[in-house]
């Protein structure tokens, strides 16, 4: 059974100006997501700036998220690392914290072989009982999880159940869908590819845009699941300008600025991320106004 179907938000981690995690604002974001129909919370992923959280902060954010959500929707914890032992440690701790599933990014910088990826994910999965989604984002990791490797892992390892596909390569994703025989739960990792990937049998999206438009992103997925592909596609296309603005600088710089403009968070980032360029802020404001969220 899938961890979730529909829209899972890759939630940001709000911070104070001094860089400490702002739990008060985090709680408000989680309530905003649940109230607006988001189907799952994905915490401590790329959008959550997991790469600059200490291990202690990383796990505390997961614990706080699980406690605040309190079983109302699934919480999927990002626990991947380029160090296999670290990924095992974070995954075991997230399971003990009560997460409903795990998201494991492929090891970055190391650029493992396909056999190395298989061994890495298998070792992490064997340390826990939670269902696991792989996370394929070669633009950030320098490493592409080939479809055959995804299928091999889902076939051989009981609790590896799917993949967040953010390669942007629709041909690769179609190949994965074709060879998996429905064994692999596929989620779009790109907000502009929700409908194409769901048309290939995908279960939904792990979304950045859902941070600022949770109801609309849920509806894009739900319409498709309900058989209204035309309505789903129309909503997807209406969001393209906003999506492009949210990625005119590296994620999560623009989405944190968007949430700041909405009065939801302070918008602080951790270096090496830096504030959004003024011209891009204006572009973002324009897209948000056009979409009706500002």
């Amino acid at each position: 059974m899938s961890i979730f179907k529909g829209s899972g938000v890759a939630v940001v981690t709000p911070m104070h100006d001094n860089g400490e995690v702002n739990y008060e604002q985090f709680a408000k974001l989680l309530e905003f997501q649940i109230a607006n129909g988001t189907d799952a919370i994905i915490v401590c992923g790329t959008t959550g700036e997991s790469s600059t959280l200490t291990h202690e902060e990383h796990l505390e954010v997961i614990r706080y998220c699980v406690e605040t959500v309190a079983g109302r929707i699934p919480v999927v914890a990002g626990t991947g690392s380029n160090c296999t032992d670290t990924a095992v440690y974070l995954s075991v701790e997230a399971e003990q914290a009560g997460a409903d599933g795990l998201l494991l990014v492929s090891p970055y910088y190391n650029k493992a072989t396909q056999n190395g990826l298989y061994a890495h994910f298998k070792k992490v999965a064997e340390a826990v009982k939670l269902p696991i989604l792989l996370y394929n984002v070669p633009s950030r990791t320098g490493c592409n999880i080939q479809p055959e490797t995804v299928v091999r892992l889902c076939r051989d390892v009981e609790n590896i159940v799917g993949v967040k596909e953010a390669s942007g390569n629709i041909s690769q994703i179609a190949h994965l869908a074709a060879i998996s025989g429905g064994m692999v739960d596929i989620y779009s990792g790109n907000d502009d590819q929700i409908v194409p990937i769901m048309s290939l049998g995908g279960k939904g999206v792990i979304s950045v845009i859902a941070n600022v438009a949770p109801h609309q992103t849920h509806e894009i997925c739900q319409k498709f699941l309900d058989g209204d592909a035309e309505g789903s596609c129309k909503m997807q296309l209406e969001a393209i300008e906003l999506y492009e603005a949210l990625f005119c600088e590296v994620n999560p710089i623009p989405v944190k600025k968007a949430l700041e403009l909405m009065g939801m968070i302070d918008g602080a980032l951790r270096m090496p991320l830096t504030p959004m360029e003024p011209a891009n802020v204006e572009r973002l404001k324009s897209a948000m106004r056009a979409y009706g969220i500002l």
Side-chain angles (χ1 to χ4, degrees):
M1 185 174 181
S2 303
I3 300 174
F4 73 95
K5 293 181 181 180
S7 173
V9 62
V11 70
V12 305
T13 303
M15 296 172 182
H16 294 284
D17 288 340
N18 65 2
E20 294 179 359
V21 176
N22 189 326
Y23 287 102
E24 181 180 356
Q25 291 182 353
F26 191 39
K28 291 179 180 178
L29 287 184
L30 295 173
E31 295 300 336
F32 173 65
Q33 291 295 322
I34 293 169
N36 281 278
T38 289
D39 299 290
I41 304 291
I42 290 74
V43 62
C44 289
T46 303
T47 309
E49 294 177 82
S50 58
S51 58
T52 52
L53 296 175
T54 67
H55 292 166
E56 293 77 15
E57 288 174 322
H58 192 133
L59 294 172
E60 184 54 35
V61 170
I62 291 170
R63 292 187 194 102
Y64 187 86
C65 183
V66 169
E67 291 170 4
T68 303
V69 173
R72 288 175 286 175
I73 57 176
V75 172
V76 179
T79 54
S81 173
N82 69 331
C83 171
T84 304
D85 287 345
T86 299
V88 168
Y89 165 68
L90 293 173
S91 298
V92 169
E93 291 293 321
E95 182 173 51
Q96 293 177 354
D100 299 290
L102 304 176
L103 179 69
L104 298 180
V105 70
S106 58
Y108 37 88
Y109 189 78
N110 310 68
K111 299 184 73 173
T113 65
Q114 295 302 304
N115 283 336
L117 292 172
Y118 178 88
H120 168 84
F121 289 124
K122 186 172 186 287
K123 182 173 181 179
V124 179
E126 288 175 342
V128 296
K129 295 180 180 179
L130 290 178
I132 290 170
L133 300 177
L134 310 176
Y135 179 14
N136 190 34
V137 58
S139 64
R140 283 187 179 263
T141 64
C143 183
N144 184 33
I145 313 174
Q146 296 290 344
E148 290 76 10
T149 303
V150 175
V151 172
R152 183 184 172 201
L153 282 161
C154 288
R155 182 190 64 224
D156 294 353
V157 186
E158 183 178 5
N159 58 328
I160 297 180
V161 299
V163 61
K164 174 185 176 181
E165 243 299 345
S167 67
N169 186 338
I170 288 293
S171 295
Q172 174 173 297
I173 299 166
H175 180 63
L176 169 61
I179 68 173
S180 67
M183 180 194 309
V184 179
D185 288 344
I186 304 172
Y187 296 88
S188 177
N190 294 318
D191 283 300
D192 60 346
Q193 293 182 343
I194 302 172
V195 172
I197 289 176
M198 292 189 76
S199 75
L200 294 169
K203 303 295 184 182
V205 63
I206 295 179
S207 171
V208 173
I209 201 172
N211 278 280
V212 297
H215 175 72
Q216 296 92 325
T217 311
H218 165 80
E219 283 298 302
I220 291 171
C221 296
Q222 194 59 52
K223 282 181 180 293
F224 196 97
L225 292 169
D226 290 342
D228 184 7
E230 183 177 354
S232 176
C233 183
K234 181 176 183 292
M235 289 191 72
Q236 164 117 74
L237 295 177
E238 289 171 348
I240 291 295
E241 181 185 357
L242 177 58
Y243 172 81
E244 291 173 347
L246 286 171
F247 284 86
C248 68
E249 291 190 22
V250 69
N251 181 48
I253 292 173
V255 72
K256 276 196 149 181
K257 173 55 72 172
L259 286 165
E260 180 184 343
L261 293 170
M262 293 170 69
M264 300 287 291
I265 66 172
D266 292 336
L269 300 152
R270 280 194 180 174
M271 290 183 67
L273 300 183
T274 53
M276 199 171 183
E277 296 293 332
N280 287 331
V281 173
E282 293 307 311
R283 175 183 176 182
L284 178 61
K285 287 180 180 178
S286 176
M288 292 174 70
R289 292 190 187 104
Y291 198 63
I293 58 174
L294 188 64

